[in-house]
Amino acid sequence: MGCSPQFVRIGLQRGILDIGDAVQMSTQFTYNISPAKLAERQGITLEQLEKMVNS
């Protein structure tokens, strides 16, 4: 995405990024990022995203 992991975490926690979920488990957050939503947000196909992740 061209941003820091901290940006993604805070964006998910605040509901600003619509690429997944942030769930608070007691004092820590757990994150789930949807590959399909991330690919759509980046304007690429899911196949392109998978190639980027696996390379």
Side-chain angles (χ1 to χ4, degrees):
M1 285 182 52
C3 56
S4 71
Q6 181 72 7
F7 177 89
V8 175
R9 287 191 295 267
I10 299 299
L12 289 171
Q13 289 174 17
R14 295 184 180 175
I16 297 168
L17 290 177
D18 61 348
I19 60 169
D21 302 299
V23 177
Q24 189 167 9
M25 307 289 289
S26 65
T27 59
Q28 294 186 347
F29 280 86
T30 299
Y31 302 92
N32 178 54
I33 295 177
S34 165
K37 288 182 178 182
L38 177 58
E40 181 181 346
R41 183 185 190 282
Q42 294 301 104
I44 60 176
T45 66
L46 190 53
E47 291 79 18
Q48 289 171 316
L49 177 65
E50 289 173 354
K51 284 182 183 177
M52 292 172 70
V53 170
N54 293 327
S55 60

mmCIF file of all heavy atoms in Angstrom:
data_model
loop_
_atom_site.group_PDB
_atom_site.id
_atom_site.type_symbol
_atom_site.label_atom_id
_atom_site.label_comp_id
_atom_site.label_asym_id
_atom_site.label_seq_id
_atom_site.Cartn_x
_atom_site.Cartn_y
_atom_site.Cartn_z
ATOM 1 N N MET A 1 0.822 -1.198 0.000
ATOM 2 C CA MET A 1 0.000 0.000 0.000
ATOM 3 C C MET A 1 0.861 1.255 0.000
ATOM 4 O O MET A 1 0.338 2.331 -0.192
ATOM 5 C CB MET A 1 -0.919 0.014 1.223
ATOM 6 C CG MET A 1 -2.070 -0.935 1.121
ATOM 7 S SD MET A 1 -3.217 -0.898 2.524
ATOM 8 C CE MET A 1 -3.603 0.815 2.670
ATOM 9 N N GLY A 2 2.125 1.109 0.284
ATOM 10 C CA GLY A 2 2.986 2.280 0.306
ATOM 11 C C GLY A 2 2.887 3.073 1.597
ATOM 12 O O GLY A 2 3.135 4.273 1.610
ATOM 13 N N CYS A 3 2.482 2.412 2.672
ATOM 14 C CA CYS A 3 2.384 3.084 3.964
ATOM 15 C C CYS A 3 2.911 2.130 5.043
ATOM 16 O O CYS A 3 3.148 0.960 4.802
ATOM 17 C CB CYS A 3 0.954 3.512 4.253
ATOM 18 S SG CYS A 3 -0.221 2.160 4.199
ATOM 19 N N SER A 4 3.051 2.647 6.235
ATOM 20 C CA SER A 4 3.622 1.848 7.317
ATOM 21 C C SER A 4 2.599 0.866 7.895
ATOM 22 O O SER A 4 1.383 1.094 7.802
ATOM 23 C CB SER A 4 4.121 2.763 8.436
ATOM 24 O OG SER A 4 3.020 3.347 9.109
ATOM 25 N N PRO A 5 3.086 -0.207 8.509
ATOM 26 C CA PRO A 5 2.179 -1.129 9.197
ATOM 27 C C PRO A 5 1.356 -0.424 10.284
ATOM 28 O O PRO A 5 0.180 -0.737 10.485
ATOM 29 C CB PRO A 5 3.109 -2.171 9.805
ATOM 30 C CG PRO A 5 4.317 -2.150 8.928
ATOM 31 C CD PRO A 5 4.465 -0.709 8.511
ATOM 32 N N GLN A 6 1.964 0.548 10.954
ATOM 33 C CA GLN A 6 1.249 1.303 11.995
ATOM 34 C C GLN A 6 0.054 2.050 11.399
ATOM 35 O O GLN A 6 -1.025 2.078 11.987
ATOM 36 C CB GLN A 6 2.205 2.289 12.687
ATOM 37 C CG GLN A 6 1.568 3.102 13.787
ATOM 38 C CD GLN A 6 1.257 2.297 15.037
ATOM 39 O OE1 GLN A 6 1.627 1.137 15.169
ATOM 40 N NE2 GLN A 6 0.570 2.913 15.965
ATOM 41 N N PHE A 7 0.233 2.624 10.210
ATOM 42 C CA PHE A 7 -0.857 3.317 9.521
ATOM 43 C C PHE A 7 -2.016 2.354 9.267
ATOM 44 O O PHE A 7 -3.181 2.694 9.495
ATOM 45 C CB PHE A 7 -0.346 3.896 8.196
ATOM 46 C CG PHE A 7 -1.399 4.567 7.373
ATOM 47 C CD1 PHE A 7 -1.679 5.919 7.547
ATOM 48 C CD2 PHE A 7 -2.103 3.861 6.413
ATOM 49 C CE1 PHE A 7 -2.648 6.540 6.775
ATOM 50 C CE2 PHE A 7 -3.069 4.471 5.643
ATOM 51 C CZ PHE A 7 -3.349 5.815 5.829
ATOM 52 N N VAL A 8 -1.689 1.154 8.795
ATOM 53 C CA VAL A 8 -2.723 0.158 8.512
ATOM 54 C C VAL A 8 -3.427 -0.256 9.796
ATOM 55 O O VAL A 8 -4.661 -0.329 9.842
ATOM 56 C CB VAL A 8 -2.122 -1.067 7.790
ATOM 57 C CG1 VAL A 8 -3.174 -2.151 7.599
ATOM 58 C CG2 VAL A 8 -1.522 -0.654 6.446
ATOM 59 N N ARG A 9 -2.664 -0.517 10.851
ATOM 60 C CA ARG A 9 -3.279 -0.920 12.124
ATOM 61 C C ARG A 9 -4.241 0.140 12.646
ATOM 62 O O ARG A 9 -5.383 -0.171 13.009
ATOM 63 C CB ARG A 9 -2.199 -1.221 13.164
ATOM 64 C CG ARG A 9 -1.465 -2.521 12.917
ATOM 65 C CD ARG A 9 -0.591 -2.912 14.100
ATOM 66 N NE ARG A 9 0.490 -1.974 14.328
ATOM 67 C CZ ARG A 9 1.718 -2.091 13.819
ATOM 68 N NH1 ARG A 9 2.005 -3.109 13.033
ATOM 69 N NH2 ARG A 9 2.646 -1.204 14.093
ATOM 70 N N ILE A 10 -3.798 1.382 12.681
ATOM 71 C CA ILE A 10 -4.655 2.464 13.193
ATOM 72 C C ILE A 10 -5.863 2.670 12.283
ATOM 73 O O ILE A 10 -6.987 2.878 12.752
ATOM 74 C CB ILE A 10 -3.846 3.777 13.350
ATOM 75 C CG1 ILE A 10 -2.710 3.592 14.351
ATOM 76 C CG2 ILE A 10 -4.755 4.936 13.751
ATOM 77 C CD1 ILE A 10 -3.127 3.233 15.747
ATOM 78 N N GLY A 11 -5.633 2.604 10.972
ATOM 79 C CA GLY A 11 -6.740 2.745 10.020
ATOM 80 C C GLY A 11 -7.796 1.679 10.206
ATOM 81 O O GLY A 11 -9.003 1.954 10.148
ATOM 82 N N LEU A 12 -7.375 0.450 10.450
ATOM 83 C CA LEU A 12 -8.331 -0.627 10.705
ATOM 84 C C LEU A 12 -9.033 -0.439 12.038
ATOM 85 O O LEU A 12 -10.251 -0.646 12.149
ATOM 86 C CB LEU A 12 -7.625 -1.987 10.666
ATOM 87 C CG LEU A 12 -7.171 -2.463 9.292
ATOM 88 C CD1 LEU A 12 -6.292 -3.694 9.424
ATOM 89 C CD2 LEU A 12 -8.360 -2.747 8.389
ATOM 90 N N GLN A 13 -8.290 -0.040 13.065
ATOM 91 C CA GLN A 13 -8.891 0.177 14.383
ATOM 92 C C GLN A 13 -9.959 1.265 14.337
ATOM 93 O O GLN A 13 -11.005 1.136 14.985
ATOM 94 C CB GLN A 13 -7.823 0.584 15.399
ATOM 95 C CG GLN A 13 -6.890 -0.523 15.793
ATOM 96 C CD GLN A 13 -5.758 -0.034 16.680
ATOM 97 O OE1 GLN A 13 -5.821 1.044 17.266
ATOM 98 N NE2 GLN A 13 -4.697 -0.825 16.774
ATOM 99 N N ARG A 14 -9.713 2.307 13.578
ATOM 100 C CA ARG A 14 -10.652 3.443 13.517
ATOM 101 C C ARG A 14 -11.730 3.277 12.451
ATOM 102 O O ARG A 14 -12.593 4.139 12.310
ATOM 103 C CB ARG A 14 -9.870 4.732 13.279
ATOM 104 C CG ARG A 14 -8.969 5.059 14.447
ATOM 105 C CD ARG A 14 -8.274 6.353 14.262
ATOM 106 N NE ARG A 14 -7.400 6.623 15.423
ATOM 107 C CZ ARG A 14 -6.593 7.641 15.498
ATOM 108 N NH1 ARG A 14 -6.512 8.523 14.518
ATOM 109 N NH2 ARG A 14 -5.846 7.814 16.575
ATOM 110 N N GLY A 15 -11.671 2.205 11.690
ATOM 111 C CA GLY A 15 -12.671 1.990 10.647
ATOM 112 C C GLY A 15 -12.469 2.866 9.431
ATOM 113 O O GLY A 15 -13.393 3.021 8.631
ATOM 114 N N ILE A 16 -11.285 3.440 9.283
ATOM 115 C CA ILE A 16 -11.001 4.315 8.146
ATOM 116 C C ILE A 16 -10.636 3.493 6.915
ATOM 117 O O ILE A 16 -11.015 3.840 5.801
ATOM 118 C CB ILE A 16 -9.865 5.300 8.503
ATOM 119 C CG1 ILE A 16 -10.315 6.196 9.651
ATOM 120 C CG2 ILE A 16 -9.445 6.119 7.294
ATOM 121 C CD1 ILE A 16 -9.196 7.007 10.272
ATOM 122 N N LEU A 17 -9.908 2.413 7.100
ATOM 123 C CA LEU A 17 -9.551 1.519 5.994
ATOM 124 C C LEU A 17 -10.572 0.396 5.918
ATOM 125 O O LEU A 17 -10.857 -0.262 6.919
ATOM 126 C CB LEU A 17 -8.145 0.932 6.201
ATOM 127 C CG LEU A 17 -6.981 1.886 6.062
ATOM 128 C CD1 LEU A 17 -5.672 1.174 6.371
ATOM 129 C CD2 LEU A 17 -6.927 2.474 4.666
ATOM 130 N N ASP A 18 -11.103 0.164 4.733
ATOM 131 C CA ASP A 18 -12.132 -0.863 4.566
ATOM 132 C C ASP A 18 -11.559 -2.136 3.943
ATOM 133 O O ASP A 18 -12.192 -2.775 3.122
ATOM 134 C CB ASP A 18 -13.269 -0.327 3.720
ATOM 135 C CG ASP A 18 -12.822 0.073 2.322
ATOM 136 O OD1 ASP A 18 -11.605 0.145 2.073
ATOM 137 O OD2 ASP A 18 -13.702 0.311 1.482
ATOM 138 N N ILE A 19 -10.349 -2.507 4.360
ATOM 139 C CA ILE A 19 -9.698 -3.686 3.795
ATOM 140 C C ILE A 19 -9.739 -4.884 4.739
ATOM 141 O O ILE A 19 -9.182 -5.929 4.426
ATOM 142 C CB ILE A 19 -8.230 -3.387 3.412
ATOM 143 C CG1 ILE A 19 -7.424 -2.946 4.629
ATOM 144 C CG2 ILE A 19 -8.169 -2.370 2.294
ATOM 145 C CD1 ILE A 19 -5.930 -2.896 4.410
ATOM 146 N N GLY A 20 -10.369 -4.742 5.869
ATOM 147 C CA GLY A 20 -10.420 -5.837 6.832
ATOM 148 C C GLY A 20 -10.999 -5.379 8.154
ATOM 149 O O GLY A 20 -11.724 -4.388 8.217
ATOM 150 N N ASP A 21 -10.628 -6.103 9.200
ATOM 151 C CA ASP A 21 -11.180 -5.840 10.526
ATOM 152 C C ASP A 21 -10.087 -5.771 11.576
ATOM 153 O O ASP A 21 -9.038 -6.412 11.440
ATOM 154 C CB ASP A 21 -12.128 -6.977 10.926
ATOM 155 C CG ASP A 21 -13.251 -7.148 9.938
ATOM 156 O OD1 ASP A 21 -14.029 -6.204 9.768
ATOM 157 O OD2 ASP A 21 -13.330 -8.236 9.336
ATOM 158 N N ALA A 22 -10.358 -5.006 12.624
ATOM 159 C CA ALA A 22 -9.517 -4.966 13.820
ATOM 160 C C ALA A 22 -10.434 -5.257 14.999
ATOM 161 O O ALA A 22 -11.432 -4.569 15.209
ATOM 162 C CB ALA A 22 -8.863 -3.602 13.987
ATOM 163 N N VAL A 23 -10.103 -6.304 15.742
ATOM 164 C CA VAL A 23 -10.914 -6.708 16.885
ATOM 165 C C VAL A 23 -10.059 -6.625 18.129
ATOM 166 O O VAL A 23 -8.956 -7.184 18.168
ATOM 167 C CB VAL A 23 -11.451 -8.147 16.700
ATOM 168 C CG1 VAL A 23 -12.235 -8.585 17.921
ATOM 169 C CG2 VAL A 23 -12.293 -8.242 15.445
ATOM 170 N N GLN A 24 -10.561 -5.919 19.133
ATOM 171 C CA GLN A 24 -9.809 -5.794 20.373
ATOM 172 C C GLN A 24 -10.066 -7.019 21.243
ATOM 173 O O GLN A 24 -11.196 -7.330 21.586
ATOM 174 C CB GLN A 24 -10.186 -4.529 21.126
ATOM 175 C CG GLN A 24 -9.260 -4.268 22.290
ATOM 176 C CD GLN A 24 -9.418 -2.880 22.859
ATOM 177 O OE1 GLN A 24 -10.328 -2.151 22.500
ATOM 178 N NE2 GLN A 24 -8.533 -2.509 23.749
ATOM 179 N N MET A 25 -8.981 -7.704 21.560
ATOM 180 C CA MET A 25 -9.027 -8.894 22.413
ATOM 181 C C MET A 25 -8.349 -8.501 23.720
ATOM 182 O O MET A 25 -7.129 -8.480 23.792
ATOM 183 C CB MET A 25 -8.286 -10.052 21.759
ATOM 184 C CG MET A 25 -8.740 -10.372 20.340
ATOM 185 S SD MET A 25 -10.353 -11.125 20.261
ATOM 186 C CE MET A 25 -9.987 -12.720 20.921
ATOM 187 N N SER A 26 -9.125 -8.164 24.722
ATOM 188 C CA SER A 26 -8.658 -7.607 26.001
ATOM 189 C C SER A 26 -7.845 -6.344 25.727
ATOM 190 O O SER A 26 -8.403 -5.357 25.304
ATOM 191 C CB SER A 26 -7.919 -8.639 26.847
ATOM 192 O OG SER A 26 -6.715 -9.062 26.237
ATOM 193 N N THR A 27 -6.541 -6.373 25.883
ATOM 194 C CA THR A 27 -5.757 -5.141 25.694
ATOM 195 C C THR A 27 -5.083 -5.065 24.327
ATOM 196 O O THR A 27 -4.538 -4.028 23.975
ATOM 197 C CB THR A 27 -4.659 -5.031 26.773
ATOM 198 O OG1 THR A 27 -3.803 -6.168 26.676
ATOM 199 C CG2 THR A 27 -5.266 -4.949 28.154
ATOM 200 N N GLN A 28 -5.119 -6.158 23.555
ATOM 201 C CA GLN A 28 -4.468 -6.164 22.247
ATOM 202 C C GLN A 28 -5.485 -6.310 21.130
ATOM 203 O O GLN A 28 -6.574 -6.851 21.331
ATOM 204 C CB GLN A 28 -3.460 -7.309 22.163
ATOM 205 C CG GLN A 28 -2.287 -7.144 23.096
ATOM 206 C CD GLN A 28 -1.239 -8.235 22.874
ATOM 207 O OE1 GLN A 28 -1.489 -9.220 22.203
ATOM 208 N NE2 GLN A 28 -0.066 -8.029 23.437
ATOM 209 N N PHE A 29 -5.094 -5.838 19.947
ATOM 210 C CA PHE A 29 -5.938 -5.979 18.773
ATOM 211 C C PHE A 29 -5.485 -7.168 17.942
ATOM 212 O O PHE A 29 -4.300 -7.492 17.895
ATOM 213 C CB PHE A 29 -5.873 -4.718 17.901
ATOM 214 C CG PHE A 29 -6.732 -3.595 18.382
ATOM 215 C CD1 PHE A 29 -6.261 -2.702 19.330
ATOM 216 C CD2 PHE A 29 -8.017 -3.421 17.888
ATOM 217 C CE1 PHE A 29 -7.049 -1.657 19.777
ATOM 218 C CE2 PHE A 29 -8.816 -2.381 18.329
ATOM 219 C CZ PHE A 29 -8.328 -1.498 19.275
ATOM 220 N N THR A 30 -6.441 -7.801 17.290
ATOM 221 C CA THR A 30 -6.185 -8.833 16.305
ATOM 222 C C THR A 30 -6.701 -8.300 14.978
ATOM 223 O O THR A 30 -7.768 -7.686 14.920
ATOM 224 C CB THR A 30 -6.917 -10.141 16.675
ATOM 225 O OG1 THR A 30 -6.429 -10.588 17.931
ATOM 226 C CG2 THR A 30 -6.703 -11.209 15.636
ATOM 227 N N TYR A 31 -5.935 -8.541 13.909
ATOM 228 C CA TYR A 31 -6.252 -7.963 12.605
ATOM 229 C C TYR A 31 -6.519 -9.045 11.581
ATOM 230 O O TYR A 31 -5.873 -10.083 11.582
ATOM 231 C CB TYR A 31 -5.099 -7.083 12.123
ATOM 232 C CG TYR A 31 -4.774 -5.983 13.097
ATOM 233 C CD1 TYR A 31 -3.813 -6.171 14.078
ATOM 234 C CD2 TYR A 31 -5.449 -4.777 13.058
ATOM 235 C CE1 TYR A 31 -3.525 -5.179 14.994
ATOM 236 C CE2 TYR A 31 -5.174 -3.778 13.967
ATOM 237 C CZ TYR A 31 -4.211 -3.983 14.937
ATOM 238 O OH TYR A 31 -3.941 -2.998 15.851
ATOM 239 N N ASN A 32 -7.478 -8.785 10.708
ATOM 240 C CA ASN A 32 -7.770 -9.652 9.579
ATOM 241 C C ASN A 32 -7.861 -8.758 8.341
ATOM 242 O O ASN A 32 -8.678 -7.839 8.310
ATOM 243 C CB ASN A 32 -9.079 -10.406 9.782
ATOM 244 C CG ASN A 32 -9.415 -11.273 8.604
ATOM 245 O OD1 ASN A 32 -8.610 -12.102 8.190
ATOM 246 N ND2 ASN A 32 -10.582 -11.067 8.032
ATOM 247 N N ILE A 33 -7.017 -9.023 7.358
ATOM 248 C CA ILE A 33 -7.040 -8.254 6.122
ATOM 249 C C ILE A 33 -7.569 -9.151 5.014
ATOM 250 O O ILE A 33 -7.071 -10.258 4.809
ATOM 251 C CB ILE A 33 -5.648 -7.713 5.764
ATOM 252 C CG1 ILE A 33 -5.220 -6.707 6.836
ATOM 253 C CG2 ILE A 33 -5.651 -7.067 4.385
ATOM 254 C CD1 ILE A 33 -3.846 -6.144 6.653
ATOM 255 N N SER A 34 -8.583 -8.678 4.317
ATOM 256 C CA SER A 34 -9.178 -9.417 3.211
ATOM 257 C C SER A 34 -8.345 -9.182 1.959
ATOM 258 O O SER A 34 -8.247 -8.044 1.485
ATOM 259 C CB SER A 34 -10.609 -8.932 2.972
ATOM 260 O OG SER A 34 -11.075 -9.371 1.716
ATOM 261 N N PRO A 35 -7.756 -10.239 1.408
ATOM 262 C CA PRO A 35 -6.971 -10.060 0.182
ATOM 263 C C PRO A 35 -7.791 -9.444 -0.950
ATOM 264 O O PRO A 35 -7.299 -8.585 -1.687
ATOM 265 C CB PRO A 35 -6.519 -11.475 -0.156
ATOM 266 C CG PRO A 35 -6.508 -12.191 1.148
ATOM 267 C CD PRO A 35 -7.670 -11.603 1.904
ATOM 268 N N ALA A 36 -9.042 -9.850 -1.091
ATOM 269 C CA ALA A 36 -9.885 -9.315 -2.160
ATOM 270 C C ALA A 36 -10.130 -7.821 -1.986
ATOM 271 O O ALA A 36 -10.063 -7.044 -2.944
ATOM 272 C CB ALA A 36 -11.204 -10.067 -2.213
ATOM 273 N N LYS A 37 -10.404 -7.391 -0.752
ATOM 274 C CA LYS A 37 -10.632 -5.963 -0.502
ATOM 275 C C LYS A 37 -9.353 -5.156 -0.686
ATOM 276 O O LYS A 37 -9.391 -4.031 -1.196
ATOM 277 C CB LYS A 37 -11.186 -5.750 0.912
ATOM 278 C CG LYS A 37 -12.611 -6.196 1.077
ATOM 279 C CD LYS A 37 -13.104 -5.903 2.480
ATOM 280 C CE LYS A 37 -14.543 -6.301 2.666
ATOM 281 N NZ LYS A 37 -15.023 -5.974 4.026
ATOM 282 N N LEU A 38 -8.222 -5.719 -0.284
ATOM 283 C CA LEU A 38 -6.947 -5.029 -0.465
ATOM 284 C C LEU A 38 -6.633 -4.874 -1.948
ATOM 285 O O LEU A 38 -6.250 -3.791 -2.397
ATOM 286 C CB LEU A 38 -5.821 -5.776 0.249
ATOM 287 C CG LEU A 38 -4.424 -5.189 0.085
ATOM 288 C CD1 LEU A 38 -4.353 -3.750 0.572
ATOM 289 C CD2 LEU A 38 -3.404 -6.064 0.809
ATOM 290 N N ALA A 39 -6.818 -5.930 -2.713
ATOM 291 C CA ALA A 39 -6.565 -5.867 -4.154
ATOM 292 C C ALA A 39 -7.467 -4.825 -4.813
ATOM 293 O O ALA A 39 -7.007 -4.016 -5.634
ATOM 294 C CB ALA A 39 -6.776 -7.238 -4.789
ATOM 295 N N GLU A 40 -8.728 -4.823 -4.436
ATOM 296 C CA GLU A 40 -9.671 -3.850 -5.005
ATOM 297 C C GLU A 40 -9.245 -2.427 -4.668
ATOM 298 O O GLU A 40 -9.252 -1.552 -5.530
ATOM 299 C CB GLU A 40 -11.076 -4.117 -4.471
ATOM 300 C CG GLU A 40 -12.119 -3.174 -5.014
ATOM 301 C CD GLU A 40 -13.507 -3.437 -4.440
ATOM 302 O OE1 GLU A 40 -13.732 -4.495 -3.826
ATOM 303 O OE2 GLU A 40 -14.365 -2.544 -4.604
ATOM 304 N N ARG A 41 -8.862 -2.183 -3.429
ATOM 305 C CA ARG A 41 -8.435 -0.846 -3.006
ATOM 306 C C ARG A 41 -7.203 -0.392 -3.775
ATOM 307 O O ARG A 41 -7.059 0.771 -4.105
ATOM 308 C CB ARG A 41 -8.139 -0.812 -1.516
ATOM 309 C CG ARG A 41 -7.759 0.575 -1.012
ATOM 310 C CD ARG A 41 -7.364 0.559 0.449
ATOM 311 N NE ARG A 41 -7.223 1.883 0.985
ATOM 312 C CZ ARG A 41 -6.163 2.671 0.790
ATOM 313 N NH1 ARG A 41 -5.161 2.274 0.047
ATOM 314 N NH2 ARG A 41 -6.112 3.871 1.324
ATOM 315 N N GLN A 42 -6.315 -1.335 -4.081
ATOM 316 C CA GLN A 42 -5.078 -1.007 -4.785
ATOM 317 C C GLN A 42 -5.273 -0.958 -6.294
ATOM 318 O O GLN A 42 -4.363 -0.587 -7.023
ATOM 319 C CB GLN A 42 -3.990 -2.030 -4.439
ATOM 320 C CG GLN A 42 -3.562 -1.994 -2.990
ATOM 321 C CD GLN A 42 -3.030 -0.632 -2.574
ATOM 322 O OE1 GLN A 42 -3.710 0.137 -1.902
ATOM 323 N NE2 GLN A 42 -1.824 -0.328 -2.974
ATOM 324 N N GLY A 43 -6.448 -1.340 -6.770
ATOM 325 C CA GLY A 43 -6.725 -1.301 -8.202
ATOM 326 C C GLY A 43 -6.016 -2.399 -8.983
ATOM 327 O O GLY A 43 -5.661 -2.202 -10.145
ATOM 328 N N ILE A 44 -5.825 -3.546 -8.334
ATOM 329 C CA ILE A 44 -5.180 -4.683 -8.984
ATOM 330 C C ILE A 44 -6.051 -5.915 -8.800
ATOM 331 O O ILE A 44 -6.987 -5.914 -8.001
ATOM 332 C CB ILE A 44 -3.761 -4.937 -8.423
ATOM 333 C CG1 ILE A 44 -3.804 -5.241 -6.917
ATOM 334 C CG2 ILE A 44 -2.843 -3.761 -8.722
ATOM 335 C CD1 ILE A 44 -2.461 -5.601 -6.308
ATOM 336 N N THR A 45 -5.717 -6.961 -9.557
ATOM 337 C CA THR A 45 -6.464 -8.206 -9.401
ATOM 338 C C THR A 45 -5.936 -8.978 -8.201
ATOM 339 O O THR A 45 -4.815 -8.740 -7.732
ATOM 340 C CB THR A 45 -6.338 -9.090 -10.654
ATOM 341 O OG1 THR A 45 -4.976 -9.518 -10.786
ATOM 342 C CG2 THR A 45 -6.799 -8.358 -11.903
ATOM 343 N N LEU A 46 -6.717 -9.915 -7.761
ATOM 344 C CA LEU A 46 -6.304 -10.774 -6.655
ATOM 345 C C LEU A 46 -5.069 -11.588 -7.058
ATOM 346 O O LEU A 46 -4.162 -11.784 -6.248
ATOM 347 C CB LEU A 46 -7.455 -11.691 -6.249
ATOM 348 C CG LEU A 46 -7.298 -12.498 -4.981
ATOM 349 C CD1 LEU A 46 -6.935 -11.621 -3.794
ATOM 350 C CD2 LEU A 46 -8.577 -13.265 -4.687
ATOM 351 N N GLU A 47 -5.026 -12.002 -8.308
ATOM 352 C CA GLU A 47 -3.873 -12.755 -8.802
ATOM 353 C C GLU A 47 -2.598 -11.907 -8.747
ATOM 354 O O GLU A 47 -1.525 -12.395 -8.377
ATOM 355 C CB GLU A 47 -4.131 -13.254 -10.231
ATOM 356 C CG GLU A 47 -5.201 -14.325 -10.308
ATOM 357 C CD GLU A 47 -6.623 -13.767 -10.246
ATOM 358 O OE1 GLU A 47 -6.822 -12.550 -10.479
ATOM 359 O OE2 GLU A 47 -7.535 -14.551 -9.933
ATOM 360 N N GLN A 48 -2.704 -10.631 -9.130
ATOM 361 C CA GLN A 48 -1.546 -9.730 -9.066
ATOM 362 C C GLN A 48 -1.090 -9.551 -7.626
ATOM 363 O O GLN A 48 0.110 -9.544 -7.354
ATOM 364 C CB GLN A 48 -1.898 -8.379 -9.693
ATOM 365 C CG GLN A 48 -2.060 -8.415 -11.183
ATOM 366 C CD GLN A 48 -2.611 -7.118 -11.735
ATOM 367 O OE1 GLN A 48 -3.552 -6.539 -11.181
ATOM 368 N NE2 GLN A 48 -2.019 -6.633 -12.827
ATOM 369 N N LEU A 49 -2.029 -9.407 -6.709
ATOM 370 C CA LEU A 49 -1.683 -9.261 -5.300
ATOM 371 C C LEU A 49 -0.950 -10.501 -4.789
ATOM 372 O O LEU A 49 0.047 -10.390 -4.097
ATOM 373 C CB LEU A 49 -2.938 -9.005 -4.463
ATOM 374 C CG LEU A 49 -2.728 -8.896 -2.958
ATOM 375 C CD1 LEU A 49 -1.871 -7.682 -2.623
ATOM 376 C CD2 LEU A 49 -4.058 -8.823 -2.235
ATOM 377 N N GLU A 50 -1.466 -11.669 -5.143
ATOM 378 C CA GLU A 50 -0.828 -12.912 -4.707
ATOM 379 C C GLU A 50 0.593 -13.017 -5.227
ATOM 380 O O GLU A 50 1.488 -13.445 -4.508
ATOM 381 C CB GLU A 50 -1.661 -14.110 -5.158
ATOM 382 C CG GLU A 50 -2.965 -14.256 -4.395
ATOM 383 C CD GLU A 50 -3.873 -15.338 -4.938
ATOM 384 O OE1 GLU A 50 -3.565 -15.936 -6.001
ATOM 385 O OE2 GLU A 50 -4.901 -15.585 -4.300
ATOM 386 N N LYS A 51 0.823 -12.604 -6.472
ATOM 387 C CA LYS A 51 2.184 -12.607 -7.019
ATOM 388 C C LYS A 51 3.095 -11.667 -6.245
ATOM 389 O O LYS A 51 4.236 -11.991 -5.982
ATOM 390 C CB LYS A 51 2.164 -12.219 -8.497
ATOM 391 C CG LYS A 51 1.680 -13.311 -9.406
ATOM 392 C CD LYS A 51 1.732 -12.867 -10.849
ATOM 393 C CE LYS A 51 1.162 -13.943 -11.764
ATOM 394 N NZ LYS A 51 1.148 -13.506 -13.168
ATOM 395 N N MET A 52 2.576 -10.504 -5.876
ATOM 396 C CA MET A 52 3.363 -9.525 -5.130
ATOM 397 C C MET A 52 3.725 -10.072 -3.745
ATOM 398 O O MET A 52 4.854 -9.896 -3.271
ATOM 399 C CB MET A 52 2.594 -8.206 -4.988
ATOM 400 C CG MET A 52 2.407 -7.468 -6.287
ATOM 401 S SD MET A 52 1.301 -6.054 -6.125
ATOM 402 C CE MET A 52 2.303 -4.965 -5.168
ATOM 403 N N VAL A 53 2.781 -10.716 -3.101
ATOM 404 C CA VAL A 53 2.994 -11.246 -1.752
ATOM 405 C C VAL A 53 3.958 -12.420 -1.781
ATOM 406 O O VAL A 53 4.808 -12.550 -0.901
ATOM 407 C CB VAL A 53 1.644 -11.652 -1.115
ATOM 408 C CG1 VAL A 53 1.855 -12.424 0.160
ATOM 409 C CG2 VAL A 53 0.788 -10.422 -0.858
ATOM 410 N N ASN A 54 3.849 -13.260 -2.805
ATOM 411 C CA ASN A 54 4.653 -14.478 -2.874
ATOM 412 C C ASN A 54 6.033 -14.273 -3.496
ATOM 413 O O ASN A 54 6.809 -15.215 -3.551
ATOM 414 C CB ASN A 54 3.908 -15.559 -3.631
ATOM 415 C CG ASN A 54 2.684 -16.016 -2.873
ATOM 416 O OD1 ASN A 54 2.671 -16.036 -1.663
ATOM 417 N ND2 ASN A 54 1.646 -16.368 -3.592
ATOM 418 N N SER A 55 6.332 -13.075 -3.956
ATOM 419 C CA SER A 55 7.654 -12.872 -4.574
ATOM 420 C C SER A 55 8.677 -12.340 -3.601
ATOM 421 O O SER A 55 8.482 -12.080 -2.497
ATOM 422 C CB SER A 55 7.547 -11.921 -5.747
ATOM 423 O OG SER A 55 7.063 -10.664 -5.345
#
